[in-house]
Amino acid sequence: METVTLSAGTPEETRDAVTEAVTLLNKGSIVALPTETVYGLAANAFNAEACTAIFEAKERPSFDPLIVHVSGKKMLDSIVNIPPDIEETVDILIREFWPGPLTMVLPKKNIIPDIVTAGLQTVAVRRSKNPIFSEIIKELDLPLAAPSANIFGSMSPTSATAVHTELSNRIPLIIDGGACSDGVESTIIRIESTERPKPNFHLLRPGPVTVEMLKKFGKILRGQDSQSENERPNSPGQLASHYSPRTPLRIVNCPENFKADPSKSYALLSYRGQEKDGYLSIHDWKEIQILSPGSGKLPEAAVRFFFSLRKLDESGADEIIAEPIPGKGVGLAILDRLQRAAL
Ligand code: AMP
Ligand code: MG
């Protein structure tokens, strides 16, 4: 299958791209679309066959549930049953963070096919703030299942070019909406009501809606605290090894003390990127990518993360050496992806 890329730069191009995407999605096809987090591979979430095509194109195991995108509260209510004890919290989170990169896991209605949720009785839902994605879902007026547009286990794509590298000849259409503005996958939470005034938020995946932003509205539980036994295998976004380049990646706490094996070549993923720290020139790196070269710091590092990782992977180095990222704000999400890439 030949993959066509349609640019959505000018208003005219965007109009044509939206029309083409809606036409294909209506026919039960899969289409790669930009979101604010990473590019998604979208299909009509009510169409089990179309959703099966997502799993096939991505080589995604059937136990890994898809995230479903909605256009607003009305569409949300058509696919989930919000338990009364968390209804107020869901309303608050929607008001605060939608449209935006917050995914909530909620009890699903039967209208969502089992393949979408890997047989779970819950579905993960979000509303994208990307204007092209929003236009498409509004015009289509159907929920869209849309996991990241990459081969399972590989790095998420944050540009149309990266989608092409991952999925060319497997999908008919890529809509090119430029670089993703957030750069890492959405935050995923499950909400649990408590006796206390504040609910519990089980953080299933850290993302651009940060712990600091969420904690005003609920108590954040992470890791072992956050998951029941049977929830863990159902959340492969949390599989130990994921988001991986083909080149082995090692996190080195102090790159300035890194000892190279003379028979190997190395590429460097630097967070700080400052020459005064000394490590940019201690070694003849095959390629250097600096995550935060401007003053943007962590949000800038998030936007550049997967793009930089791809560049290093393509450099031909034997190993990627990565400097850790401060685990606060969106840094927690980047560090999470980096640690999984290292396994
Ligand atoms: P992505 O590849 O970005 O679409 O990520 C999808 C991830 O969302 C999955 O790998 C899971 O970790 C998570 N997820 C989706 N649906 C559910 C659900 N019903 N319960 C828990 N986690 C979910
Ligand atoms: Mg993914």
Side-chain angles (χ1 to χ4, degrees):
M1 175 192 310
E2 200 198 332
T3 304
V4 173
T5 301
L6 286 181
S7 164
T10 65
E12 295 74 40
E13 283 175 348
T14 305
R15 198 71 304 279
D16 291 348
V18 168
T19 305
E20 185 61 17
V22 170
T23 305
L24 284 184
L25 289 164
N26 260 324
K27 280 194 211 152
S29 188
I30 51 176
V31 179
L33 303 175
T35 83
E36 71 274 39
T37 57
V38 304
Y39 274 70
L41 183 58
N44 172 359
F46 292 150
N47 183 335
E49 226 173 286
C51 293
T52 305
I54 293 180
F55 284 89
E56 285 169 359
K58 283 180 57 84
E59 297 175 26
R60 185 174 176 115
S62 58
F63 62 77
D64 189 358
L66 307 178
I67 290 176
V68 175
H69 293 245
V70 295
S71 59
K73 183 68 171 39
K74 194 163 156 235
M75 192 180 278
L76 178 71
D77 286 332
S78 74
I79 64 168
V80 298
N81 293 312
I82 303 172
D85 60 349
I86 61 165
E87 209 169 359
E88 197 188 332
T89 305
V90 171
D91 281 342
I92 292 171
L93 294 176
I94 288 176
R95 207 167 54 234
E96 289 289 324
F97 300 110
W98 278 15
L102 177 68
T103 298
M104 293 184 264
V105 173
L106 294 167
K108 83 174 186 83
K109 287 190 169 155
N110 286 339
I111 193 164
I112 294 292
D114 284 344
I115 181 156
V116 171
T117 62
L120 293 175
Q121 288 312 303
T122 52
V123 61
V125 285
R126 66 178 270 226
R127 179 179 173 195
S128 173
K129 69 176 179 215
N130 178 286
I132 299 164
F133 192 101
S134 305
E135 195 53 40
I136 290 169
I137 196 166
K138 199 172 108 205
E139 202 160 310
L140 186 71
D141 201 22
L142 288 168
L144 284 173
S148 50
N150 55 280
I151 300 286
F152 181 73
S154 170
M155 296 162 285
S156 295
T158 52
S159 68
T161 314
V163 178
H164 200 269
T165 306
E166 291 282 330
L167 298 176
S168 65
N169 303 325
R170 292 170 180 243
I171 61 174
L173 181 65
I174 303 170
I175 303 297
D176 184 352
C180 298
S181 59
D182 285 334
V184 286
E185 302 83 352
S186 62
T187 307
I188 307 180
I189 59 166
R190 182 169 61 77
I191 304 157
E192 179 190 36
S193 69
T194 61
E195 297 299 311
R196 288 171 282 105
K198 272 191 188 177
N200 287 335
F201 293 159
H202 297 262
L203 186 66
L204 304 182
R205 177 170 76 185
V209 172
T210 62
V211 166
E212 290 84 345
M213 290 155 84
L214 285 168
K215 71 181 181 199
K216 190 169 144 200
F217 309 101
K219 180 170 182 223
I220 315 286
L221 300 179
R222 297 188 55 206
Q224 294 308 334
D225 294 344
S226 88
Q227 286 158 344
S228 59
E229 271 292 294
N230 58 4
E231 195 170 25
R232 184 160 269 283
N234 292 328
S235 296
Q238 303 150 70
L239 281 180
S241 174
H242 211 68
Y243 313 111
S244 302
R246 287 179 310 263
T247 315
L249 182 146
R250 181 163 32 130
I251 300 171
V252 171
N253 281 329
C254 297
E256 41 274 58
N257 300 329
F258 168 66
K259 296 273 178 292
D261 170 346
S263 69
K264 284 172 75 175
S265 65
Y266 298 92
L268 175 71
L269 183 66
S270 158
Y271 169 63
R272 295 166 294 167
Q274 285 157 8
E275 197 48 67
K276 69 175 166 50
D277 294 320
Y279 62 89
L280 294 188
S281 52
I282 58 158
H283 180 79
D284 186 15
W285 307 101
K286 197 147 191 194
E287 165 95 33
I288 298 176
Q289 284 289 319
I290 298 170
L291 288 178
S292 203
S295 52
K297 294 296 172 205
L298 289 168
E300 181 182 29
V303 170
R304 292 177 54 81
F305 178 67
F306 281 119
F307 170 84
S308 300
L309 212 51
R310 275 178 191 278
K311 281 260 179 242
L312 298 175
D313 199 21
E314 286 157 11
S315 72
D318 296 319
E319 193 173 9
I320 299 168
I321 300 301
E323 179 184 15
I325 283 131
K328 58 179 196 307
V330 73
L332 186 68
I334 314 172
L335 189 60
D336 169 76
R337 308 310 186 265
L338 190 61
Q339 283 164 342
R340 289 173 213 280
L343 292 171

